[in-house]
Amino acid sequence: LLFIGWADCVKIARVSSRSPGSSSSSMINTDVSTTSALPLGTAGSSEAGAPVAVKFVEIVALFQTDCYISGLAPFGDAIVIMAYVTEDD
């Protein structure tokens, strides 16, 4: 899993690969408002002629915090968040 912390948002993503022969329409939603799997490469052949797998990222969880994320780390079945808390005006 890949943990992404940005501003006040945490995303947990899974990076997977797909063989060039599999259908892309069943794996990737092209509607931008609901996209949860983003392609990271293109199917094709390597210089040696072997098929190259396509990698994609699927967001499996997303949540917002009341603070700014400074760091993330897995801790058993939980996530440890290092954060910067701002004072309320």
Side-chain angles (χ1 to χ4, degrees), residues 1 9 12-13 16 20 22 27 31 44 51 54-55 59 65 77 79 84 89:
L1 294 176
C9 183
I12 303 172
S16 302
S22 60
M27 300 291 285
D31 181 4
V54 174
K55 302 248 185 224
I59 303 298
T65 66
D77 290 338
I79 300 172
Y84 174 76
D89 293 2

Side-chain angles (χ1 to χ4, degrees), residues 11-72:
K11 294 180 183 180
I12 303 172
R14 178 182 307 125
V15 179
S16 302
S17 58
R18 174 183 60 207
S19 64
S22 60
S23 171
S24 62
S25 62
S26 65
M27 300 291 285
I28 298 173
N29 183 353
T30 57
D31 181 4
V32 175
S33 63
T34 60
T35 299
S36 62
L38 303 173
L40 293 179
T42 57
S45 298
S46 66
E47 291 180 19
V52 176
V54 174
K55 302 248 185 224
F56 65 95
V57 174
E58 178 182 8
I59 303 298
V60 295
L62 175 119
F63 59 92
Q64 199 163 9
T65 66
D66 293 333
C67 50
Y68 292 106
I69 308 298
S70 299
L72 298 169

